[in-house]
Amino acid sequence: YRSTSKTGTFSLVKTITSATKVSYINSGLSCGTTYYYKMRAYREVNGVMYFGSYTNVISRKAKPAKPTVTLSKYSSRKIKISWKQKAGASGYVIYRSTSKSGTYSKIKTITSGKTVKYINTKSKKGTRYYYKMRTYRTVNGTRVYSAYSSIKNKKL
């Protein structure tokens, strides 16, 4: 069951009839909106439905999908970062570090959701660079960010 308010009216989103299925992805939501969920088990015995108690209400904010990053050597001092366009994206933010678990610095904010590549020109030959990025969507003037992509690295 789902609602847009913790104490609001909850509507049935999905009935799962498989005893082996233990997850459900709720798609088609409005980015930036907080949704509230609760569920309950049921069992049918001789055509009669018996329902358990509702779970505690949990909430999650709908976020854009995270990007999948690809790196390639563009020249001896340049790395090409590319990704697949995400539907509804307002833009992307690219971060870089010189170690996988180090501090990442924002190197570029791409404000067009249609751009799918960036050439990082400020790189030193012989250095390994680690990149991650995230998608964002602007909702009512506020940026709502996706989770970070997986970290990719390339040595020049």
Side-chain angles (χ1 to χ4, degrees):
Y1 298 86
R2 179 184 72 212
S3 177
T4 54
S5 166
K6 187 173 184 174
T7 58
T9 302
F10 281 77
S11 300
L12 179 65
V13 175
K14 179 75 176 170
T15 299
I16 298 173
T17 58
S18 170
T20 59
K21 187 166 185 141
V22 294
S23 66
Y24 171 72
I25 296 175
N26 193 191
S27 60
L29 303 175
S30 294
C31 190
T33 300
T34 299
Y35 292 93
Y36 298 84
Y37 296 89
K38 64 182 179 180
M39 58 186 266
R40 64 182 177 171
Y42 73 93
R43 182 178 182 123
E44 184 177 352
V45 179
N46 297 326
V48 177
M49 301 293 282
Y50 294 93
F51 293 93
S53 300
Y54 286 104
T55 62
N56 291 331
V57 175
I58 62 166
S59 65
R60 294 294 182 266
K61 183 178 277 193
K63 297 180 179 183
K66 69 181 179 180
T68 302
V69 179
T70 303
L71 300 179
S72 58
K73 191 173 178 180
Y74 190 74
S75 70
S76 64
R77 294 185 45 131
K78 297 177 184 177
I79 295 174
K80 178 181 172 185
I81 303 134
S82 55
W83 58 93
K84 290 184 180 179
Q85 182 179 358
K86 294 296 180 182
S90 300
Y92 306 91
V93 183
I94 303 169
Y95 302 85
R96 182 178 82 173
S97 178
T98 53
S99 74
K100 185 174 184 176
S101 59
T103 301
Y104 284 78
S105 299
K106 178 170 48 172
I107 61 168
K108 185 69 176 175
T109 298
I110 312 254
T111 56
S112 167
K114 296 180 181 180
T115 301
V116 293
K117 69 178 178 178
Y118 173 71
I119 308 297
N120 188 200
T121 58
K122 297 178 180 166
S123 306
K124 293 180 185 176
K125 189 172 173 81
T127 302
R128 181 171 299 278
Y129 291 99
Y130 296 83
Y131 295 88
K132 65 182 179 179
M133 64 184 297
R134 57 187 179 166
T135 305
Y136 71 86
R137 182 172 178 148
T138 305
V139 178
N140 298 324
T142 302
R143 286 184 180 175
V144 178
Y145 292 94
S146 70
Y148 287 101
S149 67
S150 59
I151 295 170
K152 301 289 182 170
N153 70 83
K154 182 66 78 179
K155 184 175 182 177
L156 287 175

